[in-house]
Each structure stands twice: as structure tokens, then as C-alpha cells.
Amino acid sequence: MSVTYLGMPPFPEAAAAATGDERLRGNLRHATRTIRDKRAAAVAELADWSALRAAGAQIKDRTLRHLDHYLEQLEAAVTAAGGTVHWATDAQEAGEIVTRLVRATGEREVVKVKSMVTQEIGLNEALEQAGISAYETDLAELIVQLGEDRPSHILVPAIHRNRSEIREIFRERMGHWGRPAPDGLTDRPGDLAEAARLHLREKFLRAKVGVSGANFLVAETGTLVVVESEGNGRMCLTLPETLISVAGIEKVVPTWQDLEVFLQLLPRSSTAERMNPYTSTWTGVTPGDGPAAFHLVLLDNGRTDTLADQVGRQALRCIRCSACLNVCPVYERAGGHAYGSPYPGPIGAILTPQLDSMETGLDASLPYASSLCGACYEVCPVAIDIPEVLVHLRERVVQGGTATVRGERTTVRPARGHAAERAAMRAASWTFDHPRALRAGERMAARARRLVPRRLPGPGRAWTDTREVPQVPAESFRDWWRRTRGTAGGAPGSTTAHTVDDGTGAVGSTGRTGPLEDPR
């Protein structure tokens, strides 16, 4: 079921290596700032953006609450339109289904539309093991595939590469996969795009099988939707004789009216466009028009488990726009590879651990791959409160607890390496429950404040590698209150007179006892 790449270290280790790569940081800084500035301008054009955002979140939440109903409606509609629906519990089953369908055609190669979910299940690798070649046709995905690399961004998978690197990849690797790069290829964007177009054209015209994902699945008609900017998707969806689409079960929307909301939210949040240049929709099969056979593989792979978590389930609202990546200070410095998953950035930090059921050290480290600044929540077009989910998952990492794993409620054990944190939290909880102990601790800390080091030893060293221990004040708030408001009944909540401004500039007594009322 794992959606992480094999052998990936925990996030802190991978990020430490990535942040030392100055070229990578420069590429990321330039690209993310450019994208987010354009997105901000596109969003500002809509006066009702906040209402659209709320509508998108509400539609997703309603759909997830009744997901069983809409999936059955989708299956019936696809079947009625001449398609065939397959259900896959996990990545292995999905790979086996697609492999079987390709083999049934007698073909040994497929062309692919950019798809996060096929990366999640490792479909290219599964097909390769079966002797089937899968060719990526999205320009950025082509760069990644030719470079024997991994995607590092949801929208722009090759964001970590610059033009000169791409030119070298094309010159050295294109000939091994098909038509070689033209002689004298430069690093001009137009020349690179032309080289990719010539290379891919022969594959489009030859391929008999296409593989795609889907941005949305419309339950009422069984329609699948792909939005893209290059036109390669349109070629893959219309030219092959057989089309196999793999989609997560959370991609369903009830109606075309609901789809209209997302077709406004997604382009502006992802590519900063008012509308994607190519919006392709297909419903089953039509004799003489497009593929003669259509198969839809609906993938669970941990999504039902995620749905059972009342806090974490909001991650399933995600429409893969990548807006959260482009504003995240952690992603901008560490890059996508450090997340060890096809889903990088803030959304990956909450989605990957849930799909994986927190089963690896990488999963346990991802909820900490954030400063909790909240920028990701502010830009999310479907209002996923990523910081809330991060804190929720951190609690599960440290404390363990009850969770749904592979459809069964089970007790998850705390992750290793957090014993000191658990002990500290338990001690803090006990102290806050005992006011006298808290008061004594505050006074002791104040008296010993000159002995507090700027750097902590032992397990605390990692925390103070990037920050100093805050200075301990000379007295606690409670002691300050007693000193400034009087010792007799002067503690918060006691009966004292207060002076207030009545709005005219005159200051006088409130004429009452007790603390000031909360104006909220």
C-alpha cells in the first residue's frame, strides 16, 4: 500500500542534504516565487473567490460523507456508457489490473497522461516488470523519465531542473527512448519544446493503448475530466484504441454543476490561468470516435482509512493544484524529493502518512516538515486546514492512539524516538493541572534564569541547533499581577476596581468589582 519511494530516509535527513544544494535552492526559489505571484494576480480578479473556495470545500465534504452512494452512481453511469469499472484495494491490485488489461490488447507499450495516482502506485515500474514500456508525454514528466529522476512538484515535476540541465538530458537520453534530440540543440525554451514535440509525435501516432488519471469524475453521467496545458493529454485520450484511466475514489463530484466550481478554482490556483488551455471530458465509448474500449480503475489505497479520521479526512478534498507548495518556506528550501513521495510539500506532509498508515520512519517525520506558518491554508482553494492536520498527526506520532488501518480500527503504537517528548508533555500536563506546582516551578525558573543555557544538551540539542532557548522572565505573570495590583485579593479573578476609558477621553472607575468582562 506504500505511496513512498523505497529506501527514502526520514525527512530531516533528506532535507539536510537538499538544503545544501545551492543550484536546487536557486531553481526552486525562482520558480515558486514566479508561480505564486501569478496565482495571486489571477485570484485577485475574482470578487467572489472566498465564496468559491467555501463552495468547493462544502461540495467535497458533502461528497465524502456520501462517497459510497456517489461511487455506485458513477459505476452505473460509466457502465451504461459502454465503459468497464474495476475496483482496486491497493497499489499492487491496481498495477495487476492495468497490466492485465494492457496484455489483453497484445501491445507492449503505452502512452501516459501526467498522473499523480499512477506515480503513487508505481505503475510504470509494474508495467516494466511485465515487459511493457510506459512513455510519459507531459513535457516535465518526460524530462523526469529521461533523466531517470523523480518528480519534485505536483504541477511542475521537473521544477528542480534548469534549462541547461534539460538540454543535456535531451541530448544524452532521447535517443535511447525513441527519436533523438536534434543536432545543435540549444537551451532556448522553444527549441527544447520542439525537440520534445518531435520525440513524442511518433509515440502518439504509434501507440494503441493510453493510460490516464483524472482530475474529476462526474457521478451523474460517468464523465471523466482532465485539465492540462500542453495538448498531450488530448492526444493520449483520443488516438489510442484502448484507454485505461486510474483515479482515486476521492476524485468524484456529484454533478456538472459542482464541476463548474472546481473548473474555476483549479486553473487559477495551479497555473494562474482563467481556464486551462485543454479541458478534456470523456464518457464511456462512442463508435467511430475515440478509443473503442474504456476501462476505469477506481483506487482506494488508504483513502477509506483516511476518510475514517474526522480531522485528517479533509486532506481528501485536495484537487492537486500545488498552491500550498509554492508558498511553503520549507518546500522552497528543501525541494520535493526530500518528502520521499509523489506528493511533496504541505499536502504531502498530511496525505502520505495517512495513506501509508504511519508505517515508516519517513511517514512519522513528514508531519514535522512544516513551520506551521499557515500560508498553505490561506491559499488552498478548498480550504484544507493543513496546520490543523499536521498537529493532529504529530499527536498520533508521539502518543499513538486509535486509528483505522486497512479498514479495521486498531491501536497505533507511538513512533520511536519520541519518548522524551511524551515524557515532557505528560509532565507539562500534570503541572498545568496543579496550580501550586506550576507556581512553584515558575518561581524556581525565575530564580535560576541566569543558569539556563542558550543551547540545550542531549535530546534538546536538535531543537536549539536552529534557535535559542527563550529568556526566562524575572517573575511570572501571576507574581507581577500580585505585585502591581495588590496582594489582598489581587490575583486574576479577584475583586478590584479598574479604571477604564468611557470613550470620551475621561478616565474613571468602573464602579464594579471583578475582572473586566471579555468584550468578545
Side-chain angles (χ1 to χ4, degrees):
M1 188 180 71
S2 176
V3 300
T4 54
Y5 297 115
L6 294 177
M8 285 299 298
F11 180 84
E13 297 179 22
T19 52
D21 187 335
E22 293 186 6
R23 174 182 285 188
L24 172 66
R25 292 183 63 178
N27 293 346
L28 290 170
R29 182 169 56 251
H30 172 73
T32 54
R33 291 181 182 181
T34 299
I35 295 171
R36 69 172 175 249
D37 289 346
K38 290 182 177 180
R39 176 207 168 271
V43 167
E45 293 178 352
L46 295 183
D48 64 342
W49 179 259
S50 60
L52 275 172
R53 185 175 186 247
Q58 290 168 7
I59 292 169
K60 280 288 188 177
D61 284 346
R62 185 183 80 238
T63 306
L64 291 172
R65 283 197 301 270
H66 306 286
L67 189 58
D68 54 345
H69 165 75
Y70 291 118
L71 287 173
E72 290 176 355
Q73 183 182 12
L74 173 70
E75 180 183 29
V78 170
T79 303
T84 304
V85 177
H86 309 263
W87 299 84
T89 302
D90 54 25
Q92 180 178 346
E93 187 174 5
E96 291 171 352
I97 291 171
V98 176
T99 300
R100 184 179 73 248
L101 293 173
V102 176
R103 279 178 168 169
T105 68
E107 296 295 317
R108 286 296 177 264
E109 63 179 25
V110 302
V111 289
K112 290 184 63 197
V113 186
K114 179 179 180 294
S115 166
M116 299 294 298
V117 75
T118 59
Q119 295 169 14
E120 173 189 327
I121 64 176
L123 181 60
N124 288 10
E125 292 76 12
L127 291 175
E128 183 179 6
Q129 290 179 1
I132 300 168
S133 299
Y135 298 114
E136 299 290 350
T137 63
D138 175 82
L139 176 57
E141 290 286 0
L142 174 66
I143 295 167
V144 169
Q145 186 176 48
L146 292 178
E148 298 180 342
D149 202 349
R150 290 180 285 108
S152 63
H153 192 277
I154 291 176
L155 176 66
V156 194
I159 196 173
H160 56 290
R161 298 289 193 183
N162 60 33
R163 291 185 297 173
S164 62
E165 292 176 300
I166 295 169
R167 179 191 60 189
E168 293 307 310
I169 289 172
F170 280 9
R171 290 172 60 182
E172 295 176 7
R173 300 292 301 168
M174 265 189 174
H176 297 284
W177 288 77
R179 179 169 178 159
D183 293 336
L185 179 65
T186 74
D187 64 358
R188 290 179 60 252
D191 292 344
L192 295 173
E194 177 67 6
R197 187 188 72 82
L198 294 173
H199 176 81
L200 292 171
R201 179 68 55 162
E202 64 176 17
K203 300 188 185 303
F204 288 136
L205 297 177
R206 186 177 68 232
K208 303 296 183 182
V209 181
V211 175
S212 82
N215 293 100
F216 306 102
L217 314 170
V218 183
E220 68 175 350
T221 58
T223 301
L224 277 69
V225 183
V226 161
V227 295
E228 40 117 4
S229 300
E230 300 174 16
N232 64 296
R234 184 71 56 83
M235 302 285 276
C236 290
L237 298 171
T238 57
L239 293 180
E241 297 174 359
T242 299
L243 175 60
I244 304 168
S245 299
V246 186
I249 56 176
E250 83 282 11
K251 292 298 185 72
V252 66
V253 296
T255 68
W256 278 84
Q257 185 176 7
D258 297 320
L259 175 65
E260 183 267 341
V261 172
F262 297 106
L263 291 184
Q264 294 183 73
L265 290 169
L266 180 56
R268 292 177 186 269
S269 292
S270 57
T271 57
E273 296 169 301
R274 298 178 182 90
M275 182 176 181
N276 285 94
Y278 295 90
T279 300
S280 300
T281 65
W282 66 102
T283 307
V285 295
T286 301
D289 182 13
F294 169 59
H295 299 270
L296 171 60
V297 181
L298 289 171
L299 176 72
D300 188 326
N301 203 37
R303 287 159 174 78
T304 300
D305 292 347
T306 304
L307 186 61
D309 188 323
Q310 293 186 3
V311 177
R313 69 174 58 159
Q314 57 186 302
L316 297 179
R317 293 183 201 156
C318 179
I319 57 176
R320 310 292 192 265
C321 70
S322 77
C324 61
L325 281 69
N326 300 324
V327 299
C328 178
V330 176
Y331 173 86
E332 184 179 308
R333 288 156 179 80
H337 290 161
Y339 293 82
S341 161
Y343 303 109
I347 187 61
I350 64 171
L351 184 60
T352 298
Q354 294 189 90
L355 296 182
D356 262 354
S357 300
M358 313 287 276
E359 292 182 336
T360 68
L362 173 62
D363 294 334
S365 71
L366 284 176
Y368 294 88
S370 171
S371 64
L372 299 180
C373 68
C376 50
Y377 170 65
E378 295 299 326
V379 300
C380 178
V382 287
I384 301 171
D385 194 341
I386 293 178
E388 178 188 31
V389 183
L390 286 168
V391 172
H392 170 67
L393 294 179
R394 290 180 185 185
E395 180 182 1
R396 187 187 301 177
V397 169
V398 175
Q399 302 284 21
T402 303
T404 301
V405 179
R406 296 178 181 87
E408 297 184 1
R409 295 296 287 176
T410 185
T411 300
V412 178
R413 300 185 64 181
R416 294 181 179 180
H418 294 271
E421 186 177 352
R422 283 195 298 275
M425 290 299 102
R426 288 169 183 165
S429 177
W430 182 89
T431 302
F432 285 125
D433 280 341
H434 296 78
R436 291 185 178 179
L438 175 62
R439 190 177 303 119
E442 290 172 340
R443 289 175 176 172
M444 185 180 299
R447 291 168 183 167
R449 67 185 184 279
R450 299 184 186 279
L451 303 178
V452 176
R454 289 298 188 191
R455 296 287 187 271
L456 295 178
R461 183 181 303 167
W463 192 83
T464 54
D465 279 345
T466 55
R467 57 181 68 79
E468 292 184 344
V469 176
Q471 291 186 353
V472 179
E475 61 181 338
S476 69
F477 172 78
R478 291 174 179 270
D479 288 343
W480 171 85
W481 184 280
R482 286 190 176 88
R483 180 172 59 80
T484 58
R485 301 301 174 99
T487 57
S494 64
T495 57
T496 59
H498 301 276
T499 59
V500 298
D501 188 334
D502 64 2
T504 65
V507 177
S509 173
T510 61
R512 61 175 176 81
T513 59
L516 290 172
E517 293 181 358
D518 190 332
R520 294 172 295 179

